Amino acid sequence: MTQDAGRVAAKRINDHVEVIHVDHPDVVLEVPRRDWEAFTAAVKSGAYDLDVLPRVAEESAA
């Protein structure tokens, strides 16, 4: 995974996985369990940047 992967925690909850950014614990991304492998592959390939999580949360709050 990218360097940012060390700054997130993942917690499995029934039908989804919650990805929580350590620097912004109020930012939670819910990934359906059926999409988990595709999500981790996207992060590993660099197609998905985990630093997007805090920015998206800030934009949503505005």
Side-chain angles (χ1 to χ4, degrees):
M1 290 199 174
T2 65
Q3 258 185 331
D4 299 324
R7 296 193 347 236
V8 298
K11 183 165 65 170
R12 187 174 66 183
I13 310 232
N14 295 332
D15 63 342
H16 68 278
V17 177
E18 292 184 350
V19 180
I20 304 164
H21 198 283
V22 174
D23 296 336
H24 304 276
D26 55 326
V27 177
V28 178
L29 173 66
E30 292 184 9
V31 179
R33 286 180 65 185
R34 69 179 180 277
D35 298 334
W36 183 248
E37 287 187 39
F39 174 76
T40 56
V43 171
K44 288 177 184 179
S45 73
Y48 188 86
D49 181 7
L50 292 174
D51 275 338
V52 164
L53 295 177
R55 284 187 298 222
V56 169
E58 288 173 7
E59 291 170 5
S60 295

